[in-house]
């Protein structure tokens, strides 16, 4: 985590806690000539634009007073969306029973991309039930080999 995201997380945690929201992720990235500070928040019933606005205003006030970012940037506060990333162990726990899309750092059984129902997570392994044509197969992935994971929207 970069120094900027660490400072922003410290400033943001009391705000989201007070509003009973979950801080999903913080990104601080340069795209072209511009820097973006992206905050992703959520709650069980989903967040709306008003909640995003409140978080943005409160965070902006704190950032303006402390000025931890030395150059201009765009602040964006939003929901992580339907295909929210799974970053923390609790994200995996909450996703049990849901469809997920996982990429690994290296091939496992010749594959680096897995998509299926998350059936178990114990902190060391991620267990999926993947569908291969007409049959289902259980795949167990070492958690430390997971490069990225997100919820996967599926259409029946």
């Amino acid at each position: 985590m970069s120094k900027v995201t660490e400072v922003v997380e410290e400033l943001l945690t009391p705000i989201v806690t007070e509003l009973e929201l979950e801080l999903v992720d913080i990104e601080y990235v340069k795209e072209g000539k511009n820097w973006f500070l992206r905050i992703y928040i959520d709650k069980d019933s989903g967040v709306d634009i008003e909640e995003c606005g409140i978080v943005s205003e409160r965070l902006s006030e704190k950032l303006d007073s402390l000025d931890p970012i030395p150059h201009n940037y765009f602040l964006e506060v939003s929901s992580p969306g339907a295909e929210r990333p799974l970053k923390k162990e609790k994200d995996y726990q909450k996703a049990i029973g849901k469809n997920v899309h996982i990429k690994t750092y290296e091939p496992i059984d010749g594959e680096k991309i897995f998509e299926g129902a998350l059936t178990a997570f114990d902190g060391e392994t991620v267990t999926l039930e993947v569908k291969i044509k007409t049959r289902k197969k259980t795949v167990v992935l070492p958690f430390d080999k997971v490069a990225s994971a997100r919820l996967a929207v599926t259409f029946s």
Side-chain angles (χ1 to χ4, degrees), residues 75-152:
L75 174 61
E76 298 175 354
V77 178
S78 68
S79 159
E83 293 190 334
R84 74 177 277 170
L86 305 178
K87 298 276 188 172
K88 303 170 186 141
E89 289 191 14
K90 69 178 181 146
D91 296 334
Y92 285 84
Q93 292 294 344
K94 284 174 66 175
I96 291 175
K98 297 179 180 171
N99 283 316
V100 296
H101 179 93
I102 296 179
K103 292 181 183 177
T104 57
Y105 289 112
E106 57 193 47
I108 297 172
D109 294 333
E111 302 290 331
K112 286 181 75 174
I113 297 176
F114 301 87
E115 193 161 299
L118 178 60
T119 58
F121 175 74
D122 65 9
E124 295 193 16
T125 59
V126 180
T127 305
L128 300 176
E129 185 176 271
V130 298
K131 194 172 180 181
I132 302 168
K133 296 187 182 180
T134 58
R135 65 181 183 90
K136 293 181 179 179
K137 176 184 175 186
T138 298
V139 177
V140 179
L141 306 172
F143 184 52
D144 62 355
K145 301 292 184 206
V146 173
S148 67
R150 63 174 169 75
L151 292 179

Side-chain angles (χ1 to χ4, degrees), residues 25-108:
D25 200 9
I26 300 171
E27 293 179 346
Y28 182 60
V29 295
K30 187 173 187 182
E31 294 177 2
K33 296 178 185 176
N34 299 313
W35 282 91
F36 291 86
L37 177 58
R38 293 191 177 109
I39 310 298
Y40 298 97
I41 57 173
D42 206 0
K43 65 181 180 187
D44 289 340
S45 59
V47 292
D48 60 30
I49 195 156
E50 287 180 37
E51 291 165 312
C52 292
I54 292 167
V55 170
S56 179
E57 286 175 26
R58 291 188 184 177
L59 179 59
S60 287
E61 288 173 10
K62 289 188 174 196
L63 289 169
D64 288 346
S65 67
L66 284 176
D67 203 22
I69 303 173
H71 48 268
N72 293 335
Y73 60 93
F74 294 95
L75 174 61
E76 298 175 354
V77 178
S78 68
S79 159
E83 293 190 334
R84 74 177 277 170
L86 305 178
K87 298 276 188 172
K88 303 170 186 141
E89 289 191 14
K90 69 178 181 146
D91 296 334
Y92 285 84
Q93 292 294 344
K94 284 174 66 175
I96 291 175
K98 297 179 180 171
N99 283 316
V100 296
H101 179 93
I102 296 179
K103 292 181 183 177
T104 57
Y105 289 112
E106 57 193 47
I108 297 172

